[in-house]
Amino acid sequence: MNGFSYHLRVCRTFQCIWVCAGCLWLLPFSYQPAEASTEAMVQRLEKLAKRSNPVRNIFLSSLRARMFAEQAAQATTQDKRMDLMLQEAVEWLQAGASEKAMEGFNAWEAMARQVAPDLYEKNHYLLKFYQSLCWIRVGEQENCLANHTTASCLMPIQAAGVHRLRRGSEGALSILKPALERYPEDLSLKWLFNIASMTLGHDPETVSNPWWIPASTWSSDADIGVFPDIAGSVGADVNALSGGTVLDDFNGDGLIDILVTAWGFHDSPTYLQNDGEGRFTDRTRESGLLELTGGLNMVSADYDNDGDIDVFVLRGAWLGSEGRIPNSLWQNDGKGHFEDVTDEAGVLSSYPTQTAVWWDMNNDGWLDLFVGNESTPRNRHRSELYVNNQDGTFTEQARACGLSLTSYIKATAVADIDHDGWLDLYISNYDAPNQLFRNTGPVSGKSQLRRFVDVARQAGVSEPVHSFPCWFFDADQDGWQDLFVAGYKIKDVGEVAADVLGQPHQASKARLYRNRGDGTFEDQTQSLGLDQVLHTMGSNYGDVNNDGYPDFYLGTGDPDLATLIPNRLFLNQGGRRFADITTSAGMGHLQKGHGIGFADLDNDGDQDVYANMGGAYEGDLYRNALFLNPGHEHHWLKLRLHGVHSNRMGVGSRVSVRVKDADGSLRTFHRVVRTGGSFGASPLRIEMGLGKATALEALTIHWHGSGTQQNTFCL
């Protein structure tokens, strides 16, 4: 493949003329955090871990299993004892002790048949469901984890993905078949039956069975080649629970590194440094991050304008009253070593959250930080807006700016939706209408603060009511930022089966809104081929075939161990439609998709995809995936901005590239400098496909903050 490689202001391929209004350089302040601040955060996290209560924290599975066992032993009634026995077995399953859980369910069944036949009949479906799930988990643990291959857990399961050790799936089918005979219309059982059957190499095209889901369900709409999972061969297959992902150059060597977190109280982050020779080296201990545990998500930026990537870590999501865990701000020294400067920077808060966004909301050349917290009627945790004081500290100003919100916020995204030069803010809420806050003007008497007004209803972007990740991107390359919002509500995995089989369901679906350019949006979800149940968590976008149009990869699932749904890759076909290429690309991973990033990790000119694959319960560990791009005969451009009056990395700036094709026609591609979606971070450099362009005619940068338009004409 061929590339036009740009760095900062250097255009190496063509003769260029720069046109730039004069600006003053913003010099980074001199700020040296005390090393004690990292140790203070370590101790704070350790104390919270020790105090966590298994009664309220449903994800402390081992502790909860032992708690229910003790309560069952002390129960004074048979019904109470049997109820606690069931709960104990469920907890052992979620703790990863699948066979111990099986023993518990079997013991309950034997007792119920003998002394409580009515109770047995009442719980028959639930019992069979969990017994089959125990066997499915045995199959996963013995094959996908202990005997992992590059095809493990990829739907449709075939070839190297078929289980060598068969007892788990055979055990599951021995329970699922009679269960389906009794409950033939149950789609959750049917879904699990199909997964277990595929792991044994059964083919729906050759085996006649009323419970098969048609093989055509998994067919792709297009084929651009297979993206093999190479994480294990390059040292990037971190085996952990769910967490965040940041892909960027942390040590200034020009190579993209990998930083991942896992959300458990005792889970260390992992910093993988790119060695430039196709492998990654674990530098977690050297980075100073080893004991800074936990974190379901991260957002990256150069908050102090010193030219390197810093990271804000989000903790406590989904935990309710147990989620009062502090977030962290990790300051990078430019060499891949970090200090926790949360206290010194003034951003210490302890509310359950997994979403935040860096943005220059007041156009002063310094990045501010919005944090969306999770509020419920019983636990109200207002969102926070930290305004950058330009000296390494922040001041919380959400209330003054109209952004002190008390909804259950699951995602945030920013864009200049109307090209007025000011960034606007989108809020994805769970179980409430979404919000779009337009940046309307300065707060009276406070020039550094801006006033925000919710215009979601007028703009037409308040749905879906149950939503999760979101992002702005230019889907049709018309120069205006469109909006993707993922739906996130299913009763159970059976509703996913209902959707693929064309049966009715109540699950929430995604929305893709096209920006009309007048402050309003048009819902084009159906016409673009995205009117589906996607049940998305982690996600991000990039350009996997370098044609200039952004594609996206969705990490699917939820904490339920039975929610085994293939992650999805959608190819943008010229802004007219998104084609599902999940199967043909080999990226239909069944495990829980969390933080996702797109980046050219091997410096060959195309974007690879890194995905955090662990689940939420302590036994739902899985290896992260790195899907290697097979390459395409398209040109590309890389561009890292260096802000002058804008913030140092140019976050929020719009980049337009005009190219000439072989027939002499001109096209323009558009990008905005940001890390991508709300759950997973791609590099802050522009990695842009140019299709089959034969010449780069012009490059224009609309610098956010300064309002400067900078033009390069390549002759």
Side-chain angles (χ1 to χ4, degrees), residues 31 33-34 36-42 44 312 326-330 339-350 392-394:
Y31 174 60
S37 62
T38 296
E39 182 58 29
M41 180 60 74
V42 169
R44 187 180 286 130
F312 189 71
N327 301 322
S328 281
L329 177 58
W330 295 343
E339 289 287 344
D340 190 306
V341 297
T342 311
D343 290 88
E344 291 85 348
V347 294
L348 178 65
S349 68
S350 299
T393 68
F394 295 79

Side-chain angles (χ1 to χ4, degrees), residues 246-272:
V246 175
L247 307 181
D248 219 312
D249 178 9
F250 291 106
N251 62 343
D253 63 357
L255 302 171
I256 301 300
D257 310 305
I258 300 172
L259 178 64
V260 295
T261 56
W263 88 315
F265 278 115
H266 303 288
D267 295 339
S268 296
T270 303
Y271 171 47
L272 301 175

Side-chain angles (χ1 to χ4, degrees), residues 428-464:
S428 171
N429 292 312
Y430 189 79
D431 199 22
N434 297 329
Q435 297 161 287
L436 174 60
F437 287 94
R438 188 169 178 270
N439 193 332
T440 61
V443 172
S444 178
K446 299 180 180 179
S447 60
Q448 288 299 98
L449 302 184
R450 302 287 294 180
R451 189 70 184 171
F452 291 84
V453 176
D454 184 6
V455 297
R457 180 177 295 182
Q458 301 93 303
V461 293
S462 57
E463 293 184 342

